[in-house]
């Protein structure tokens, strides 16, 4: 199937957008791109506004969306928030998780997201017993992404311990009852289950990668098992790392190493690695990450919401790390907000403006995220790339007055998810004129959230 689109403006790289861009699609790939076509060809679908590669959400916990508006008020921190998160996790079963994830992924589509990395650790029944299909929860996430029209990297997550404990002979606390369903009992059992998942669901729009929840939840020997599994399959490998100061303090007390150093010693740093948050890293950590060419995924709306702190984005980029963004806990789902907050945080911390260029911020939300999730052929508008692209309207009150010279900057610094007008993923229209093509997103979200939060 061939389709042709005429973009009023499109970002093909650099600090500015091109005018009059024709994108020809063959199947799920871009066949050709031509700029400077001032008059729309009669057979081309018009896309008014600014067209960019589809956005890539490099870090998602779909079920956290049910916490929106329920956990933001009152005093507390990450650790008190976590207790509320466990209550929602306890309400999930395969049917409920499918309905919730389908609605959440559809909300992402409305926000211009074409690819999502789902950091998946709710594997088993409450109490830890396996479902008849041990990958039932992963399978419903795949079905939810397919039905919502998104490309998915399912990051199956290893989770073994209840936290670091310097007073324990093992160095780790046992799992809390509410954490039991996250664990396979051993890294070897996790690897066996993850292998079955990858064999069952991998396809043109689905990849299975590996994740290590954190050094808090996985010991160094078990981290090595996950590293070997991912490296042996050329699969993405993601870690939560140094999100809170207490995590670093506990890790130093038990291992005499920072979390990044523990990961590095297990062989976990490399171009296929993504460290999520990396908020409280040391200079040595930064050098290790940069030398490895690893990704760092910033999730500013979550990091602000949980009072985690501000990560050293500029220093990491200068060291050689590749930066991407995610919506994580889905306090909001808006990658324009995530990308600009990375820059605004650096301005507030440094006293300088323009720490990261607008093209760098755009790449963080597109190409870098695709590569972090194992789709190197995505995130760009060029021949041979995946036919994943989003069009942002320039006629809202936020963007009125935008012209060709400042279209990219206006979108990165002022657009919201509500400005998304069209989304194509794999050559198929998923959002048209601001509406999902198959799902009543608000209605399904309301119903699915109520199922897991009602008394």
């Amino acid at each position: 199937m061939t389709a042709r689109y005429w973009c009023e403006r499109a970002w093909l790289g650099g600090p500015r957008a091109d005018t009059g861009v024709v994108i020809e699609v063959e199947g799920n790939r871009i066949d050709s791109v031509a700029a400077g076509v001032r008059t729309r060809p009669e057979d081309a679908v018009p896309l008014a506004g600014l067209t960019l590669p589809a956005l890539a959400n490099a870090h998602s916990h779909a079920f956290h969306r049910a916490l929106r508006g329920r956990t933001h008020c009152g005093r507390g921190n990450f650790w008190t928030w976590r207790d509320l998160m466990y209550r929602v996790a306890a309400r999930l079963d395969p049917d409920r998780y499918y309905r919730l994830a389908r609605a959440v992924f559809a909300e992402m589509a409305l926000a211009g997201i074409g690819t999502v990395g789902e950091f998946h650790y709710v594997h088993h029944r409450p109490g830890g017993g396996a479902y008849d299909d041990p990958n039932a929860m992963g399978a419903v996430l795949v079905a939810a992404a397919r039905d919502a029209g998104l490309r998915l990297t399912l990051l199956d997550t290893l989770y073994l311990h209840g936290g670091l404990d310097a007073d324990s002979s093992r160095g780790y606390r046992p799992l809390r009852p509410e954490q039991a369903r996250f664990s396979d009992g051993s890294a070897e059992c996790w690897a066996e289950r993850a292998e079955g998942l990858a064999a069952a669901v991998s396809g043109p729009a689905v990849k299975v990668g590996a994740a290590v929840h954190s050094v808090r939840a996985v010991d160094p020997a078990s981290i090595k098992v996950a590293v070997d599994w991912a490296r042996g399959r050329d699969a993405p490998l993601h870690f939560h790392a140094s999100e809170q100061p207490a995590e670093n303090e506990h890790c130093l007390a038990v291992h005499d190493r920072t979390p990044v150093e523990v990961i590095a010693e297990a062989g976990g740093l490399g171009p296929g690695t993504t460290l999520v948050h990396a908020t409280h890293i040391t200079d040595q950590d930064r050098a290790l990450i940069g030398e490895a060419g690893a990704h760092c995924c910033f999730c500013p709306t979550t990091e602000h919401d949980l009072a985690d702190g501000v990560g050293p984005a500029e220093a990491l980029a200068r060291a050689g790390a590749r930066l991407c963004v995610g919506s994580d806990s889905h306090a909001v789902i808006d990658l324009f907000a995530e990308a600009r907050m990375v820059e605004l945080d650096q301005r507030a911390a440094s006293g300088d403006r323009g720490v990261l260029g607008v093209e760098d911020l755009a790449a963080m939300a597109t190409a870098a995220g695709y590569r972090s999730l194992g789709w190197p052929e995505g995130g760009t508008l060029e021949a041979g790339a995946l036919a994943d692209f989003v069009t942002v309207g320039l006629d809202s009150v936020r963007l009125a007055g935008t012209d060709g010279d400042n279209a990219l900057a206006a979108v990165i610094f002022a657009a919201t998810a509500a400005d998304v007008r069209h989304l194509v993923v794999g050559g198929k229209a998923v959002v048209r004129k601001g509406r999902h093509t198959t799902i009543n997103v608000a209605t399904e979200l309301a119903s699915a959230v109520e199922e897991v939060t009602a008394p």
Side-chain angles (χ1 to χ4, degrees):
M1 181 181 71
T2 302
R4 181 181 292 183
Y5 298 85
W6 181 80
C7 309
E8 182 181 21
R9 297 182 180 91
W11 179 60
L12 306 180
R16 291 179 174 80
D18 283 86
T19 301
V21 175
V22 173
I23 299 174
E24 292 194 356
V25 173
E26 182 68 36
N28 68 349
R29 299 274 175 166
I30 294 174
D31 187 60
S32 66
V33 177
V37 182
R38 300 290 178 173
T39 303
R40 176 176 69 88
E42 290 186 3
D43 63 343
V45 176
L47 297 178
L50 175 65
T51 298
L52 307 97
L55 310 181
N57 190 351
H59 189 64
S60 163
H61 301 292
F63 77 92
H64 290 192
R65 170 62 178 81
L67 299 170
R68 188 183 296 177
R70 292 171 169 83
T71 60
H72 306 298
C73 302
R75 297 300 291 260
N77 54 27
F78 168 85
W79 308 100
T80 54
W81 169 88
R82 191 176 67 158
D83 291 335
L84 298 170
M85 178 268 290
Y86 287 151
R87 296 180 198 172
V88 170
R91 301 288 299 274
L92 297 174
D93 61 27
D95 289 339
R96 285 176 169 175
Y97 207 6
Y98 165 74
R99 287 189 289 272
L100 179 59
R102 167 184 152 109
V104 174
F105 292 152
E107 182 183 0
M108 291 184 196
L110 291 179
I113 293 165
T115 295
V116 58
E118 182 62 25
F119 201 100
H120 168 52
Y121 56 84
V122 186
H123 300 304
H124 306 298
R125 299 179 189 272
Y131 289 100
D132 293 341
D133 172 3
N135 281 308
M137 295 294 262
V140 299
L141 290 170
V142 172
R146 178 198 64 218
D147 292 351
L150 266 63
R151 198 177 299 281
L152 173 70
T153 298
L154 186 58
L155 297 160
D156 197 279
T157 303
L158 178 60
Y159 197 124
L160 298 175
H161 307 297
L164 289 156
D165 185 357
D167 295 328
S168 166
S169 60
R170 297 173 62 242
Y172 283 88
R173 294 192 295 271
L175 293 167
R176 293 167 51 170
E178 58 268 32
Q179 297 168 323
R181 70 184 310 190
F182 306 159
S183 178
D184 292 287
S186 71
E188 290 73 21
C189 288
W190 166 84
E192 182 178 356
R193 184 184 53 71
E195 186 65 22
L197 177 66
V201 304
S202 298
V206 178
K207 293 182 184 292
V208 175
V212 170
H213 181 273
S214 59
V215 176
R216 290 185 285 110
V218 184
D219 56 273
S222 298
I223 291 173
K224 184 66 165 59
V225 173
V227 170
D228 290 345
W229 188 92
R231 296 286 185 260
R233 290 151 187 81
D234 194 25
L237 176 63
H238 287 222
F239 298 81
H240 288 135
S242 293
E243 185 175 358
Q244 309 87 21
E247 175 185 340
N248 288 4
E249 294 165 8
H250 297 161
C251 192
L252 287 165
V254 171
H255 297 301
D256 196 30
R257 300 286 190 278
T258 67
V260 172
E261 289 172 331
V262 170
I263 292 166
E265 289 185 0
L269 290 184
T273 302
T274 298
L275 301 176
V276 182
H277 304 304
T279 309
H280 301 284
I281 59 172
T282 66
D283 291 346
Q284 173 64 14
D285 293 339
R286 186 171 66 247
L288 288 169
I289 296 166
E291 289 166 6
H295 287 84
C296 286
C297 179
F298 286 81
C299 308
T301 61
T302 293
E303 291 149 6
H304 286 208
D305 180 45
L306 300 183
D308 286 339
V310 172
E314 179 187 18
L316 278 164
R318 287 184 175 178
R322 295 176 289 177
L323 307 185
C324 52
V325 290
S327 62
D328 193 358
S329 67
H330 312 311
V332 298
I333 295 177
D334 188 336
L335 292 196
F336 302 118
E338 303 292 350
R340 67 174 160 263
M341 286 173 68
V342 174
E343 164 65 13
L344 296 179
D345 281 344
Q346 298 306 294
R347 292 183 183 191
S350 69
D352 290 326
R353 304 177 78 235
V355 175
L356 298 167
V358 67
E359 65 272 32
D360 299 321
L361 301 176
M364 285 169 54
T366 56
Y370 269 83
R371 283 155 179 74
S372 164
L373 297 174
W375 303 95
E377 66 275 45
T380 60
L381 298 181
E382 60 185 1
L386 293 171
D388 298 2
F389 46 91
V390 59
T391 302
V392 180
L394 301 177
D395 55 353
S396 72
V397 294
R398 290 169 294 279
L399 296 168
T402 298
D403 61 30
D405 285 340
N406 68 5
L408 180 64
V411 166
I412 294 298
F413 283 100
T416 73
D419 294 310
V420 169
R421 294 293 174 264
H422 305 279
L423 175 68
V424 172
V425 179
K428 298 178 181 178
V430 178
V431 174
R432 288 194 187 102
K433 297 181 179 179
R435 294 182 178 274
H436 198 282
T437 56
T438 60
I439 296 174
N440 185 324
V441 182
T443 298
E444 292 200 14
L445 274 170
S447 174
V449 169
E450 183 180 13
E451 281 190 327
V452 298
T453 57

